[in-house]
């Protein structure tokens, strides 16, 4: 092979190596920002599912919400069929759409069988209509 062919082959190999590295970095970065959630069933069937920080998606069990004072609450998060539940504790302000019997997402960690939420997000259904102010 001539010197020109070797030079082009080296350029192609270096370009492929750089492109491969960029693709790997993009995939790793995207995987770290995926906002997936686990269910009570996932956690109860395999405790390692929620090792460290995770998001719990579930219904707030009707009648389970207890106010403990000083912006502290606890409630049971359940599967839609009420088959499996996890106790959730939270300290902070709740979103306006948070209600018993509705879906919510809680971000936090499992500690001694209780999900300690650092943030709670309420989910609305597809028919959500924001309140319209009467002070127009």
């Amino acid at each position: 092979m001539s010197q020109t062919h070797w030079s082009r082959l080296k350029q192609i190999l270096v370009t492929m190596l750089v492109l491969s590295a960029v693709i790997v970095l993009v995939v790793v970065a995207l995987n770290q920002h995926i906002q997936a959630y686990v269910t009570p069933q996932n956690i109860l069937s395999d405790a390692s599912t929620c090792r460290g920080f995770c998001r719990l998606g579930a219904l707030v069990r009707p009648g389970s919400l207890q106010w403990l004072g000083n912006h502290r609450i606890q409630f049971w998060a359940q599967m839609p069929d009420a088959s499996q539940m996890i106790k959730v504790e939270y300290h902070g302000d709740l979103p306006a759409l948070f209600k018993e019997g509705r879906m919510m997402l809680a971000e936090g960690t499992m500690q001694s069988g209780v999900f300690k939420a650092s943030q709670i997000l309420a989910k609305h259904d597809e028919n959500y209509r924001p309140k319209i102010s009467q002070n127009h």
Side-chain angles (χ1 to χ4, degrees), residues 107-119:
E107 297 178 339
T109 58
M110 283 297 292
Q111 297 174 15
S112 304
V114 176
F115 191 86
K116 304 282 187 169
S118 57
Q119 182 176 14

Side-chain angles (χ1 to χ4, degrees), residues 2-127:
S2 69
Q3 186 68 16
T4 306
H5 286 104
W6 278 112
S7 177
R8 285 187 182 164
L9 183 61
K10 286 180 191 176
Q11 286 177 339
I12 291 170
L13 290 174
V14 167
T15 302
M16 288 175 49
L17 182 65
V18 168
L19 283 173
S20 298
V22 167
I23 289 170
V24 166
L25 290 173
V26 167
V27 168
V28 168
L30 288 175
N31 280 339
Q32 291 176 350
H33 290 85
I34 290 176
Q35 297 292 325
Y37 65 89
V38 296
T39 64
Q41 182 177 8
N42 298 135
I43 295 171
L44 294 172
S45 65
D46 182 10
S48 67
T49 302
C50 192
R51 192 173 299 162
F53 179 84
C54 67
R55 293 180 105 188
L56 171 66
L59 286 171
V60 178
R61 182 176 178 88
S64 70
L65 186 60
Q66 295 179 334
W67 296 92
L68 306 175
N70 197 23
H71 294 280
R72 298 183 78 77
I73 63 162
Q74 68 181 21
F75 60 91
W76 287 93
Q78 70 179 28
M79 298 295 296
D81 62 2
S83 61
Q84 296 176 313
M85 298 181 288
I86 291 180
K87 185 183 244 180
V88 178
E89 292 181 356
Y90 175 67
H91 181 249
D93 294 325
L94 291 171
L97 293 175
F98 181 86
K99 292 189 180 18
E100 293 179 335
R102 294 228 179 133
M103 289 294 294
M104 63 87 206
L105 289 173
E107 297 178 339
T109 58
M110 283 297 292
Q111 297 174 15
S112 304
V114 176
F115 191 86
K116 304 282 187 169
S118 57
Q119 182 176 14
I120 295 200
L121 307 167
K123 292 181 72 176
H124 61 78
D125 64 12
E126 62 275 2
N127 299 321

Side-chain angles (χ1 to χ4, degrees), residues 96 99 128-134:
K99 292 189 180 18
Y128 172 71
R129 303 243 189 318
K131 292 182 181 177
I132 298 173
S133 175
Q134 300 296 327

